[in-house]
Amino acid sequence: TLTVTTANHWMTAWLGLELNMISILPVIAKQKHPRSTEAATKYFLTQATASALMLFASTINAWQTGSWNITQLNNKLSCILMIAALAMKMGAAPTHFWLPEVMQGATLATALLITTWQKIAPITLLYMISNHTEPIITLSIGLLSILVGGWGGFNQTQLRKMMAYSSIAHLGWTMTVISIAPNIALTNIIIYMIMSAPFFMLLMTTASKTLQTMTTTWTHTPTTTIILMLLLLSMAGLPPLTGFTPKLLILDNLVTHKLTLMAATMALLSLLSLTFYLRTTYLLTSTAPPTTTQSITTWRLKPHQNQITAILAPIALFNITILPTLLT
């Protein structure tokens, strides 16, 4: 990932992505189970296809313009192909089909890696070519991702698949604004990673994989349940929480660029995501399951995971960016 983020030459970036992909395959296939092997195979095939497409796009650009520099992607065809390849690498719609399947086959820790760390490299490349991208293409991919991310998460009972669709929807918000205001797109994806990491870590500590097992967390870890609820609401983008800030900035930028209809459509489509976030929140906090524990245990967390969650959760929940506005 660091090779990609520090690269100037397309071949170096491609090499970094290949190394990254080869390195994560054993991590996905670590469990001795057919499902994880299948997940690793699917991940390999899609990433290899995207890498080939990326190499093809950069070669066409070098052939036409004589430059291998990442920031000089001047050829129109290679720019379109590059956006398609990077969208496939990240798992943005319409090339999103691998993401829920791979995440379902992996462990929670690996799913966290796929939704956060594995997005850094393609996002960096998109950021570097953002001034050459066609706004109509990025807006279309973004809108479709928000729609797919909201619609796909509707009937999910598996938390990993639900988080995969949540990831697709957040990528949609990033894609829509990447060609208009790349800095805001970067802010959006960073904030998503900050919200996603403590959520997965808390799921790991409570060993919750489905909505059904999530309902019993209230009896033995009430504090965890409250933090999970707030993190879900933050991901949904509700105002007092951090998740609201990037959405507001994105909508503001779209309206400034006379894309009011687009902004309104995105705001309405985010209601789809809100539905399944609220459903999970309701299951977590408003349904009281039969008490299984005899003793009142208030906190059961492994100490080493506690620290990272303790650092990330407040950032994901307390909206630091709007504090100056509230104080004045």
Side-chain angles (χ1 to χ4, degrees):
T1 304
L2 296 174
T3 309
V4 180
T5 49
T6 52
N8 285 316
H9 195 285
W10 275 117
M11 290 300 275
T12 322
W14 174 78
L15 185 73
L17 283 167
E18 286 296 295
L19 283 170
N20 182 8
M21 184 252 295
I22 291 164
S23 310
I24 202 165
L25 287 175
V27 180
I28 299 171
K30 189 178 71 171
Q31 289 173 292
K32 302 287 185 288
H33 194 276
R35 188 171 280 169
S36 54
T37 315
E38 188 187 327
T41 312
K42 282 177 179 172
Y43 187 82
F44 169 73
L45 291 172
T46 46
Q47 298 297 315
T49 310
S51 290
L53 194 57
M54 184 183 150
L55 201 58
F56 180 53
S58 53
T59 311
I60 288 177
N61 186 62
W63 180 38
Q64 294 293 328
T65 63
S67 169
W68 279 99
N69 197 309
I70 292 177
T71 51
Q72 293 171 356
L73 196 72
N74 299 320
N75 186 279
K76 207 171 181 180
L77 173 67
S78 55
C79 192
I80 293 165
L81 287 172
M82 190 59 73
I83 294 169
L86 292 173
M88 192 171 185
K89 277 224 166 276
M90 291 185 296
T95 48
H96 65 279
F97 294 98
W98 63 272
L99 187 62
E101 298 296 320
V102 169
M103 277 180 69
Q104 187 54 35
T107 58
L108 282 166
T110 316
L112 169 63
L113 264 183
I114 293 166
T115 48
T116 53
W117 187 260
Q118 293 301 96
K119 301 265 190 286
I120 297 172
I123 284 281
T124 310
L125 291 175
L126 255 181
Y127 181 77
M128 288 166 88
I129 64 162
S130 59
N131 58 335
H132 295 295
T133 52
E134 286 285 318
I136 187 74
I137 295 170
T138 51
L139 284 169
S140 307
I141 290 174
L143 199 62
L144 191 61
S145 295
I146 296 168
L147 179 65
V148 166
W151 217 270
F154 245 57
N155 284 336
Q156 297 301 336
T157 53
Q158 295 285 341
L159 289 171
R160 281 166 295 181
K161 274 196 175 178
M162 196 182 84
M163 288 307 292
Y165 283 109
S166 158
S167 171
I168 294 164
H170 277 90
L171 273 177
W173 283 87
T174 307
M175 287 297 281
T176 44
V177 84
I178 196 95
S179 55
I180 300 164
N183 290 349
I184 290 173
L186 216 57
T187 310
N188 181 52
I189 203 76
I190 289 166
I191 287 177
Y192 167 68
M193 287 174 189
I194 290 170
M195 291 186 297
S196 190
F199 185 78
F200 271 108
M201 282 170 182
L202 288 173
L203 287 186
M204 279 187 261
T205 52
T206 54
S208 307
K209 288 177 184 174
T210 60
L211 288 177
Q212 192 179 2
T213 50
M214 215 178 181
T215 52
T216 57
T217 54
W218 184 248
T219 52
H220 58 262
T221 52
T223 325
T224 309
T225 314
I226 292 163
I227 298 170
L228 279 172
M229 176 197 79
L230 289 169
L231 284 170
L232 278 164
L233 294 177
S234 185
M235 274 188 248
L238 293 182
L241 306 163
T242 312
F244 172 66
T245 312
K247 284 192 165 76
L248 179 68
L249 290 170
I250 290 168
L251 293 176
D252 179 49
N253 251 284
L254 290 172
V255 173
T256 313
H257 286 82
K258 306 270 190 300
L259 292 162
T260 318
L261 186 65
M262 180 78 186
T265 314
M266 283 166 67
L268 285 170
L269 287 177
S270 68
L271 292 174
L272 291 169
S273 301
L274 180 66
T275 310
F276 67 80
Y277 287 129
L278 280 180
R279 185 188 62 187
T280 316
T281 311
Y282 175 76
L283 270 175
L284 256 177
T285 53
S286 304
T287 52
T291 311
T292 48
T293 49
Q294 295 302 314
S295 61
I296 301 164
T297 319
T298 49
W299 189 258
R300 282 188 203 161
L301 278 185
K302 292 169 191 167
H304 65 280
Q305 287 175 333
N306 209 346
Q307 295 153 3
I308 309 164
T309 315
I311 296 163
L312 289 174
I315 307 170
L317 298 179
F318 304 120
N319 205 337
I320 304 152
T321 45
I322 61 162
L323 277 179
T325 331
L326 295 173
L327 293 170
T328 50

